[in-house]
């Protein structure tokens, strides 16, 4: 069984910063791409940033320059450093990872962490 657990969300004023973490645990042989998604109220879940096992990164256009995704493969953890936060960054942030557990690669999701940015 594989679990992804996010942490680090909260309430912050516009212009502030937060650092999200997502730790994977369980019977893990390897973790491939890790991604952060956001779901704003009344909207569909959207990709915020992704990182490969070799640390190649990609970002949604509106997050470029403000958000930084990173990972620690030894800890099976991915991070999202969010700076210069705006009210439109508000939403539930979900971690997603491709995990080799046993003989198969499967896609896993965390339960989400709420980020609220006040104006």
């Amino acid at each position: 069984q594989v679990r992804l657990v996010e942490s680090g969300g909260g309430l912050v004023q516009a212009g502030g910063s937060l650092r999200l973490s997502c730790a994977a645990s369980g019977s893990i042989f390897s973790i491939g791409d890790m991604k952060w998604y956001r779901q704003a109220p009344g909207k569909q879940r959207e990709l915020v940033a992704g990182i490969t096992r070799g640390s190649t990164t990609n970002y949604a256009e509106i997050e470029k320059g403000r958000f930084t995704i990173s990972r620690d493969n030894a800890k099976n953890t991915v991070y999202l450093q969010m700076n210069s936060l705006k009210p439109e960054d508000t939403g539930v942030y979900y971690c997603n990872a491709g995990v080799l557990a046993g003989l198969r690669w499967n896609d896993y999701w965390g339960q989400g962490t709420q980020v609220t940015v006040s104006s």
Side-chain angles (χ1 to χ4, degrees):
Q1 188 74 5
V2 174
R3 289 184 66 204
L4 301 182
V5 179
E6 300 100 334
S7 61
L11 173 64
V12 64
Q13 288 189 328
S17 298
L18 284 174
R19 189 192 193 209
L20 306 184
S21 299
C22 171
S25 62
S27 302
I28 297 169
F29 288 104
S30 183
I31 300 178
D33 293 353
M34 303 185 82
K35 301 174 185 178
W36 286 98
Y37 285 79
R38 174 177 61 229
Q39 188 161 19
K43 295 187 177 181
Q44 289 188 332
R45 196 173 296 188
E46 59 182 0
L47 179 66
V48 173
I51 185 167
T52 66
R53 183 168 181 81
S55 294
T56 298
T57 60
N58 66 281
Y59 298 92
E61 197 63 34
I62 60 171
E63 278 81 27
K64 284 184 179 178
R66 298 191 300 124
F67 291 6
T68 302
I69 188 171
S70 61
R71 65 190 286 171
D72 184 333
N73 290 332
K75 296 182 179 179
N76 290 335
T77 299
V78 63
Y79 306 96
L80 185 68
Q81 177 67 43
M82 305 186 293
N83 299 327
S84 303
L85 283 162
K86 304 175 182 179
E88 51 263 46
D89 295 320
T90 294
V92 180
Y93 283 71
Y94 295 92
C95 173
N96 168 262
V99 179
L100 179 61
L103 299 178
R104 297 181 59 181
W105 284 92
N106 289 300
D107 209 44
Y108 293 90
W109 290 87
Q111 82 290 348
T113 185
Q114 176 71 46
V115 171
T116 303
V117 184
S118 64
S119 57

